[in-house]
């Protein structure tokens, strides 16, 4: 059977809503095969971006209101997407939602964008809230993409996503492990915007800046980096541990310093796990200066695929996870999240 599914992803860097339409087919000889058929990114309006960025500060009733309205917004964008590409007979939508709170150590994670609203607007079954069940089972609720990395991209030594945060997935000692490494675009984009740029194009601003080695040393010694995986990061951690440290510096110094910090942390992980070949996706894959700094610090062979996969791999995997949920098959790996067992997660609307 060939499944047609749409995956939706809104990252912490607030680049927009990624919509990916893909087909998936499983055979006994080849395992899972996929094809990306259509993909678009919907850039958020300034007003919606502001609402999402400030969602953590809302009163409870206002957050619930945003959860509903954002779900209807997502549904409307999916409907426009299906009309634009002439799509019909879709089996399922897999929606990550937009993360507002992620505090697994306190037993909760919150992604807004009500899947029931998406279903009402589109008429297509929706799988959403993939993370909460894993947190309730003692896991980090993240990272989730390792199931797709293992089943769809298992030919690579490791998969690295460079988005709001960097996270890596790889086979190690017979199991798939995955964890967040460090913040990336959630910090770099913020300070680029202070210089009038939406992001640091190609890493040029960072390359022109000077590293503050005293601050770099403090960053590299943060407690999180000494914690053994599985582990994950959230925007709250960035606000408390990173932004207060960086705010006294000029934006250009921050960009240079934090790019070096990200390169340090990523290369340390690559060397520790002896990764030989690495598939890099996410918006940070276009940060040529960051990739150059990583290459200088590691012996790993780095591969950046075609733009379609760079930009839509996470949305693709949420479509795949929704297909697995429809089939009642495990779509969360305990070895990646730290929960008590592999399981099938996501609410079905």
């Amino acid at each position: 059977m060939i499944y047609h599914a749409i995956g939706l992803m809104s990252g912490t860097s607030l680049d927009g809503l990624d919509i990916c339409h893909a087909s998936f087919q499983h055979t006994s000889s080849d395992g899972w095969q996929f094809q990306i058929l259509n993909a678009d990114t919907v850039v958020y309006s300034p007003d919606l971006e502001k609402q999402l960025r400030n969602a953590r500060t809302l009163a409870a009733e206002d957050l619930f209101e945003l959860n509903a309205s954002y779900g209807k917004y997502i549904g409307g964008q999916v409907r426009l997407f299906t009309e634009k590409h002439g799509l019909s007979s879709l089996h399922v939508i897999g929606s990550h939602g937009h993360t507002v709170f992620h505090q697994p150590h306190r037993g909760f994670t919150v992604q807004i964008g009500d899947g029931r609203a998406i279903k009402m607007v589109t008429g297509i079954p929706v799988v959403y809230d993939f993370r909460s069940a894993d947190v309730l089972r003692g896991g980090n609720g993240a990272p989730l993409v390792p199931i797709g990395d293992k089943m769809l991209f298992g030919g690579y030594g490791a998969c690295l996503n460079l988005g709001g945060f960097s996270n890596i997935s790889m086979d190690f000692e017979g199991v798939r492990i995955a964890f967040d490494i460090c913040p990336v675009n959630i910090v770099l984009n913020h300070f680029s915007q202070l210089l009038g740029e939406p992001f640091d194009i190609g890493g040029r601003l960072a390359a022109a800046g000077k590293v503050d080695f005293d601050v770099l040393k403090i960053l590299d010694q943060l407690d999180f980096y000494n914690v053994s995986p599985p582990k994950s990061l959230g925007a709250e951690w960035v606000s408390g541990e990173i932004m207060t440290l960086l705010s006294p510096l000029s934006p250009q110094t921050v960009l240079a310093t934090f790019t070096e910090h990200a390169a340090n942390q990523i290369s340390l992980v690559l060397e520790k796990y002896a990764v030989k070949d690495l598939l890099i996706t996410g918006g940070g894959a276009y940060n040529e200066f960051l990739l150059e700094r990583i290459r200088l610090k590691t012996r790993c062979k780095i591969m950046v695929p075609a733009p379609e996969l760079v930009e839509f791999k996470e949305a693709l995997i949420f479509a795949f996870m929704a297909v697995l949920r429809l089939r009642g098959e495990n779509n969360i790996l305990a070895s990646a999240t730290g929960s008590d067992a592999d399981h099938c997660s996501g609410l079905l609307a």
Side-chain angles (χ1 to χ4, degrees):
M1 178 177 177
I2 299 176
Y3 293 90
H4 282 263
I6 283 178
L8 305 172
M9 180 68 198
S10 175
T12 49
S13 53
L14 285 168
D15 297 330
L17 176 67
D18 292 337
I19 307 176
C20 179
H21 166 223
S23 63
F24 301 93
Q25 185 174 21
H26 185 270
T27 64
S28 56
S29 57
D30 299 324
W32 281 102
Q33 304 295 313
F34 74 90
Q35 184 177 0
I36 296 177
L37 301 172
N38 303 283
D40 292 325
T41 295
V42 179
V43 178
Y44 292 133
S45 68
D47 181 60
L48 180 54
E49 179 183 342
K50 183 178 179 180
Q51 289 183 64
L52 295 174
R53 189 177 302 280
N54 296 331
R56 289 188 297 120
T57 67
L58 295 177
E61 61 267 30
D62 294 327
L63 183 60
F64 281 118
E65 180 182 14
L66 181 59
N67 179 51
S69 64
Y70 181 55
K72 291 178 181 177
Y73 168 85
I74 293 173
Q77 294 303 321
V78 172
R79 189 168 62 185
L80 290 173
F81 177 86
T82 60
E83 291 171 354
K84 173 184 175 181
H85 296 290
L87 306 183
S88 59
S89 303
L90 290 163
H91 293 93
V92 70
I93 295 169
S95 178
H96 171 269
H98 188 82
T99 299
V100 178
F101 299 110
H102 183 66
Q103 299 186 31
H105 60 287
R106 298 179 64 186
F108 68 89
T109 182
V110 178
Q111 287 72 45
I112 60 171
D114 197 320
R116 296 166 299 182
I118 302 172
K119 166 71 179 300
M120 288 172 61
V121 175
T122 63
I124 303 167
V126 177
V127 180
Y128 67 108
D129 193 13
F130 287 96
R131 298 186 187 273
S132 292
D134 187 78
V135 170
L136 291 171
R137 299 178 73 124
N140 280 278
L144 299 187
V145 297
I147 188 72
D149 290 343
K150 182 177 181 67
M151 294 186 173
L152 304 179
F153 301 99
Y156 295 94
C159 294
L160 177 72
N161 180 69
L162 293 177
F165 299 91
S166 58
N167 50 70
I168 195 165
S169 163
M170 70 194 106
D171 283 334
F172 181 70
E173 297 181 347
V175 297
R176 193 78 184 184
I177 65 168
F179 52 93
D180 286 349
I181 299 177
C182 64
V184 183
N185 291 339
I186 191 172
V187 174
L188 298 181
N189 288 3
H190 173 78
F191 286 95
S192 296
Q193 288 159 15
L194 296 180
L195 294 173
E197 299 290 345
F199 56 92
D200 188 1
I201 301 170
R204 293 197 295 266
L205 294 173
K210 292 185 178 180
V211 174
D212 185 318
F213 288 98
D214 291 333
V215 172
L216 177 64
K217 183 177 180 180
I218 296 171
L219 287 169
D220 284 338
Q221 292 177 347
L222 288 171
D223 290 343
F224 176 82
Y225 302 124
N226 296 317
V227 175
S228 298
K231 56 183 180 176
S232 63
L233 290 165
E236 303 96 312
W237 185 85
V238 175
S239 297
E241 298 285 342
I242 300 289
M243 291 305 191
T244 52
L245 182 62
L246 298 180
S247 57
L249 306 179
S250 71
Q252 195 143 26
T253 298
V254 169
L255 292 171
T257 304
F258 204 81
T259 297
E260 190 71 8
H261 168 64
N264 283 348
Q265 296 307 316
I266 292 166
S267 61
L268 282 171
V269 168
L270 297 177
E271 291 298 296
K272 177 179 179 178
Y273 291 94
V275 177
K276 294 181 179 180
D277 58 311
L278 179 71
L279 178 70
I280 296 185
T281 56
Y286 296 128
N287 189 325
E288 297 167 4
F289 181 63
L290 173 58
L291 268 57
E292 175 188 323
R293 298 304 299 161
I294 296 171
R295 286 190 175 100
L296 287 171
K297 298 171 185 289
T298 178
R299 294 162 289 181
C300 179
K301 180 182 179 183
I302 291 175
M303 289 165 286
V304 178
E308 184 179 69
L309 197 54
V310 167
E311 297 166 21
F312 295 100
K313 175 171 170 279
E314 282 195 297
L316 167 76
I317 291 179
F318 278 100
F320 178 60
M321 292 175 66
V323 169
L324 294 177
R325 171 67 176 81
L326 281 187
R327 290 165 58 96
E329 298 178 8
N330 288 339
N331 57 8
I332 306 287
L333 297 176
S335 59
T337 67
S339 60
D340 59 3
D342 295 349
H343 56 282
C344 184
S345 185
L347 300 177
L348 179 60

